[in-house]
Amino acid sequence: MFENLRDYMSNIKYAALALLVFVGMYGCSQEPQDLSVPMKAGEYQVTVSKVTSGVEDPTKHSKARCFREAAFDPFKTFHQNQDCKTTNVVKSDTEVSFDLECKNGAAANAKGKMKYSAIGDKITWSSAISSIDGNEMDVTTSSTGDYLGTCK
């Protein structure tokens, strides 16, 4: 009986080790998250506005822009950047929001909040930057897009 118990315990150890290796390789991988929301692909009239420390920039930029994919994620380059960390991610079928903190690279020492949505024929996105290079600031950039039709 003692040998059967020893074999049993040995098998449990190997099974536990195999499970840990599997979880380490697959369950805890740092693959980029898909934070896109479905949208209607096509051309949108996009308007961008900026507010710095409570003062709105009087210049609003507007232009037609083609979105060829039926997935919307305007901040993909940030939240998939290895130098940036996303926290407080909230995702629904139509909207995503998260906090972002970048330590290195082009966006070094930047902190902010990102939010975007795609509902029907309208897309919206905004970023509120609270710090860049350790300097506190209050810059909010907001964008809206209204569907125009298929891309030209």
Side-chain angles (χ1 to χ4, degrees):
M1 174 153 172
F2 185 74
E3 282 206 12
N4 288 338
L5 180 61
R6 188 180 318 167
D7 289 342
Y8 177 74
M9 294 303 288
S10 180
N11 287 339
I12 287 178
K13 288 178 188 176
Y14 285 119
L17 180 61
L19 178 63
L20 287 173
V21 169
F22 178 79
V23 168
M25 289 175 53
Y26 298 103
C28 298
S29 69
Q30 292 295 320
E31 290 297 314
Q33 279 182 294
D34 178 13
L35 294 180
S36 63
V37 292
M39 69 177 285
K40 187 185 288 187
E43 191 168 25
Y44 286 76
Q45 186 66 36
V46 174
T47 303
V48 179
S49 62
K50 183 176 170 182
V51 177
T52 304
S53 299
V55 178
E56 186 170 354
D57 185 338
T59 311
K60 288 187 178 181
H61 303 282
S62 185
K63 70 176 187 175
R65 182 172 169 199
C66 177
F67 292 86
R68 298 200 183 277
E69 294 184 31
F72 186 57
D73 185 352
F75 301 113
K76 187 175 189 174
T77 57
F78 289 106
H79 68 77
Q80 289 187 353
N81 183 335
Q82 291 179 346
D83 294 325
C84 299
K85 179 182 175 186
T86 55
T87 56
N88 302 320
V89 176
V90 177
K91 182 180 179 189
S92 72
D93 292 341
T94 59
E95 185 174 278
V96 175
S97 65
F98 58 88
D99 295 336
L100 183 74
E101 183 174 356
C102 299
K103 296 286 187 188
N104 301 309
N109 299 316
K111 290 182 183 180
K113 295 180 181 292
M114 313 298 181
K115 184 177 182 178
Y116 51 96
S117 65
I119 301 170
D121 288 349
K122 188 172 199 84
I123 55 175
T124 62
W125 65 103
S126 66
S127 65
I129 304 300
S130 59
S131 171
I132 292 180
D133 265 342
N135 299 312
E136 288 188 27
M137 58 181 46
D138 179 15
V139 178
T140 301
T141 304
S142 301
S143 305
T144 60
D146 294 305
Y147 185 75
L148 299 173
T150 57
C151 293
K152 296 177 183 173

